[in-house]
Amino acid sequence: MTSERPTIIVIEDESQLRRVLRAMLEANGFRCVETESAGQGLLDAETYRPDLLLVDLGLPDRDGIEVIRGVRKWSAVPIIVLSARSQESDKIAALDAGADDYVTKPFTVGELLARIRAALRHAAIHGRPESRDTFANGELRVDLLRRQVFVKEQEIHLTPIEYRLLSVLIRNAGKVVTYRHLLRDVWGPGKVDQYHHVRTYIADLRRKLEGDPARPVYLLTEVGVGYRLVAG
């Protein structure tokens, strides 16, 4: 961490929204650095080395996607996009560029804070090598060394593809993982357009891992974009 309070940089050209975000973040124990342009945001990211970035896509000097790509050249810091663009193609482009999450405007304070906490939690866990051997959330536990999956301490049998799919989601727990990312990592680069593979196997995983597959608590759908495994 860069200070006792986690530092969040807000890159947003709408001044009123910046003020709201600053008040919200500071009231919840974060240090906020704000800027209205992509260029200054990239400089601030290198100067402050923040714990998280909130990035708008429609910035006056360049697209926020360029900010994401620029930061990703040197840092794995969590990046959450805040944008009025709600098209699936925009979400996929931002996530494929390296964003960890995508929140569409308007949003609620509670939802944004929850996503910030999830992103910071994922970053903290990812940075601890000893934490990578096991994933646990509620009644779900995965021993990644032994390739064993348990629900309520009962071992669950997964097929090889189901396990590979779950493993990719675990590596990205708390993040939105796009269909293309899952298809590339599980099925290979030749299958990146065959979204039905992912939907079918996610449904199978939910039947095995969720108490109520129709109301999942672990494997959440990001409509038209992909899936998110809720971090423990």
Side-chain angles (χ1 to χ4, degrees), residues 60-74:
D61 52 341
R62 66 187 90 164
D63 196 279
I65 296 261
E66 294 185 45
V67 175
I68 298 168
R69 290 180 178 143
V71 171
R72 281 292 172 259
K73 291 178 180 178
W74 58 270

Side-chain angles (χ1 to χ4, degrees), residues 32-219:
C32 180
V33 176
E34 56 179 280
T35 183
E36 63 182 358
S37 70
Q40 187 60 49
L42 285 167
L43 289 174
D44 286 347
E46 292 195 44
T47 300
Y48 292 97
R49 300 287 166 145
D51 299 279
L52 186 139
L53 292 168
L54 296 176
V55 181
D56 184 21
L57 294 184
L59 297 168
D61 52 341
R62 66 187 90 164
D63 196 279
I65 296 261
E66 294 185 45
V67 175
I68 298 168
R69 290 180 178 143
V71 171
R72 281 292 172 259
K73 291 178 180 178
W74 58 270
S75 176
V77 61
I79 299 174
I80 298 178
V81 170
L82 301 179
S83 179
R85 302 178 191 172
S86 58
Q87 294 294 318
E88 292 172 6
S89 57
D90 292 314
K91 295 179 182 180
I92 290 168
L95 293 165
D96 282 345
D100 295 88
D101 205 349
Y102 193 110
V103 178
T104 303
K105 301 174 184 175
F107 51 83
T108 66
V109 169
E111 178 191 8
L112 180 57
L113 285 172
R115 297 200 184 215
I116 288 172
R117 290 192 296 268
L120 291 173
R121 193 161 56 241
H122 173 263
I125 292 171
H126 187 72
R128 297 201 302 269
E130 69 277 11
S131 300
R132 299 176 190 168
D133 297 341
T134 303
F135 172 84
N137 183 3
E139 296 173 334
L140 172 64
R141 181 170 63 86
V142 181
D143 186 327
L144 296 166
L145 287 179
R146 296 179 177 83
R147 298 172 64 90
Q148 292 176 298
V149 180
F150 301 88
V151 175
K152 298 181 181 178
E153 298 304 319
Q154 178 180 350
E155 187 169 0
I156 305 299
H157 172 73
L158 299 184
T159 68
I161 289 181
E162 288 170 352
Y163 184 82
R164 288 204 300 274
L165 181 57
L166 181 60
S167 296
V168 174
L169 290 165
I170 287 173
R171 289 200 303 271
N172 295 278
K175 298 171 59 175
V176 179
V177 187
T178 65
Y179 287 109
R180 292 178 66 86
H181 183 155
L182 291 168
L183 286 161
R184 183 187 65 238
D185 285 11
V186 177
W187 283 273
K191 302 286 188 178
V192 294
D193 295 321
Q194 299 185 28
Y195 291 5
H196 63 279
H197 285 319
V198 181
R199 296 189 186 101
T200 297
Y201 279 92
I202 287 289
D204 291 340
L205 280 175
R206 282 174 171 160
R207 280 192 288 271
K208 293 181 178 183
L209 305 181
E210 300 279 3
D212 182 354
R215 295 179 176 82
V217 296
Y218 304 124
L219 297 165

